[in-house]
């Protein structure tokens, strides 16, 4: 086992944390094999299935952890096969139970509107409000929620379109062009509230941005704002606004999709707005929409009310 761990450490350059996970998975395999009285170098597929079942029953690992363990075990036997120490990989074809896909978390409509309308003056009462940062952060919320952008797409926006631009906002057309996953460009409409926030920010951007900085959103040092900074400022703003859950950029994208679908019922339109390559990716929001309908039913239908 130690030789295999050295192999993955050197050849695959695994991080220290990943090595700990590998070592733990391999130790569990050794212990399970010893308890079952089977030799690892002569392990057969039916024995491998028993070891996996015992792991699942005794330790009660979830589907993701089970999948990780089986992946490590398959990798071990792949290496043992390459070293001509085993004839077959007993874990080939053995798969963990499918993990249920968690529904994306979205804000309620009222909460999203409350966050968008929130004034940053309440974030830190001991410090005077910097109207430039306030305008920028309001713009961030409006573009994330109003346009359904990914944080990477937001970070990539330039103040003006250019040959090297990943994305930009056409103020005249009220339209944002972004570079999404897979290098795919798409254009999305920018609503009136987001346009107003943009105009306010652009009127102050020059006070922060370096002369040669093309980014639409910049930090206090005048350089392009990063995803980490956006997450931190959004978290602080949401806490100050009294949001009921931790708010991150992708939650606003989920909220955008869910709220558009609730209002329009047009799944294809939501797919285009989000830039999803496949409709199946977008269909997760129909489950959110059903949850919304179920809540209305529970609150309004006489037969659904609790006695």
């Amino acid at each position: 086992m130690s030789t295999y761990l050295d192999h993955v450490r050197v050849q695959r350059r695994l991080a220290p944390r990943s090595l700990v996970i590998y070592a733990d998975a391999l130790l569990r395999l050794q212990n399970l094999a010893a308890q079952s009285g089977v030799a690892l170098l002569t392990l057969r597929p039916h024995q491998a299935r028993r070891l996996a079942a015992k792991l699942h029953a005794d330790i009660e690992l979830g589907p993701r952890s089970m999948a990780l363990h089986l992946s490590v075990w398959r990798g071990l036997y792949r290496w043992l096969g390459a070293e001509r120490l085993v004839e077959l990989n007993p874990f080939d074809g053995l798969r963990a139970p499918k993990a249920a896909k968690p529904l994306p978390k979205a804000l309620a409509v009222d909460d999203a509107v409350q966050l968008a309308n929130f004034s940053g003056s309440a974030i830190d009462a001991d410090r005077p409000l910097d109207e430039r940062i306030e305008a920028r952060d309001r713009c961030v919320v409006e573009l994330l929620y109003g346009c359904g952008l990914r944080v990477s797409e937001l970070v990539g926006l330039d103040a003006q379109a250019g040959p090297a631009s990943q994305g930009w906002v056409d103020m005249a057309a009220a339209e944002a062009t972004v570079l999404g996953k897979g290098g795919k460009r798409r254009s999305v409409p920018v609503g009136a509230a987001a346009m107003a926030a943009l105009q306010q920010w652009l009127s102050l951007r020059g006070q922060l941005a370096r002369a040669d900085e093309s980014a639409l959103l910049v930090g206090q040092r005048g350089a392009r704002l990063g995803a980490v900074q956006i997450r931190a400022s959004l978290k602080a703003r949401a806490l100050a606004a009294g949001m009921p859950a931790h708010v991150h950029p992708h939650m606003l994208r989920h909220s955008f999709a869910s709220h558009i679908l609730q209002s329009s019922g047009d799944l294809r339109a939501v797919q285009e707005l989000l830039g999803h390559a496949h409709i199946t990716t977008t269909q997760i929001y129909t489950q959110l929409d059903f949850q919304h309908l179920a809540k209305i039913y529970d609150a309004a239908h006489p037969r659904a009310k609790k006695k």
Side-chain angles (χ1 to χ4, degrees):
M1 294 295 182
S2 60
T3 307
Y4 176 62
L5 285 173
D6 287 339
H7 166 76
V8 294
R9 178 179 59 82
V10 175
Q11 296 298 323
R12 295 183 56 187
R13 298 180 180 179
L14 291 186
R17 173 59 182 158
S18 296
L19 283 172
V20 171
I21 293 172
Y22 265 60
D24 181 63
L26 294 174
L27 179 61
R28 282 179 172 167
L29 176 60
Q30 281 183 311
N31 292 339
L32 286 168
Q35 292 169 15
S36 302
V38 296
L40 289 178
L41 292 182
T42 58
L43 194 67
R44 313 308 292 179
H46 69 279
Q47 295 170 322
R49 285 194 293 272
R50 287 195 197 122
L51 294 185
K54 188 171 179 58
L55 175 73
H56 183 56
D58 292 355
I59 306 178
E60 297 183 350
L61 295 180
R64 293 182 188 278
S65 296
M66 280 292 298
L68 176 59
H69 276 67
L70 291 175
S71 176
V72 173
W73 296 353
R74 272 193 299 273
L76 168 67
Y77 277 89
R78 198 176 299 121
W79 175 77
L80 289 172
E83 296 291 316
R84 300 185 182 278
L85 296 173
V86 297
E87 296 178 356
L88 55 82
N89 190 332
F91 291 100
D92 268 350
L94 189 56
R95 295 290 180 266
K98 284 189 176 181
K101 289 186 177 180
L103 289 177
K105 294 180 180 178
L107 290 171
V109 173
D110 289 346
D111 289 332
V113 172
Q114 179 182 329
L115 177 60
N117 291 337
F118 176 72
S119 171
S121 58
I123 292 180
D124 191 342
D126 297 328
R127 296 177 60 185
L129 179 68
D130 187 329
E131 64 175 359
R132 302 167 301 177
I133 302 301
E134 166 63 14
R136 183 201 68 193
D137 290 350
R138 181 183 288 271
C139 184
V140 164
V141 173
E142 289 290 357
L143 288 174
L144 289 171
Y145 176 57
C147 302
L149 302 185
R150 299 179 177 94
V151 68
S152 59
E153 295 167 349
L154 179 64
V155 166
L157 288 176
D158 283 347
Q160 294 181 335
S165 298
Q166 290 186 9
W168 59 87
V169 178
D170 184 333
M171 299 296 287
E175 186 176 272
T177 298
V178 297
L179 187 67
K181 285 187 176 179
K184 290 177 58 180
R185 287 201 183 277
R186 76 179 188 282
S187 295
V188 294
V190 182
M195 285 295 294
L198 263 170
Q199 289 168 347
Q200 177 64 19
W201 160 239
L202 287 173
S203 70
L204 299 170
R205 176 185 173 277
Q207 298 179 23
L208 284 178
R210 296 172 182 170
D212 60 346
E213 181 54 70
S214 61
L216 173 65
L217 300 169
V218 299
Q220 290 183 320
R221 295 184 179 180
R224 186 180 296 272
L225 202 64
V228 173
Q229 294 167 290
I230 287 176
R231 290 189 184 96
S233 65
L234 179 59
K235 179 181 178 181
R237 194 175 188 86
L239 282 171
M243 292 296 100
H246 166 60
V247 177
H248 50 84
H250 221 65
M251 179 182 280
L252 292 186
R253 177 172 159 86
H254 292 321
S255 302
F256 164 85
S258 178
H259 300 166
I260 290 286
L261 187 60
Q262 286 176 17
S263 299
S264 69
D266 192 333
L267 193 63
R268 285 289 180 186
V270 174
Q271 179 191 5
E272 291 296 323
L273 289 169
L274 292 178
H276 286 162
H278 304 289
I279 193 69
T280 51
T281 310
T282 318
Q283 283 174 333
I284 190 70
Y285 295 105
T286 62
Q287 298 180 48
L288 287 175
D289 190 41
F290 180 80
Q291 286 184 338
H292 170 73
L293 294 175
K295 287 180 180 178
I296 293 175
Y297 174 88
D298 288 342
H301 196 286
R303 290 296 194 188
K305 291 180 179 178
K306 294 180 180 179
K307 294 183 180 180

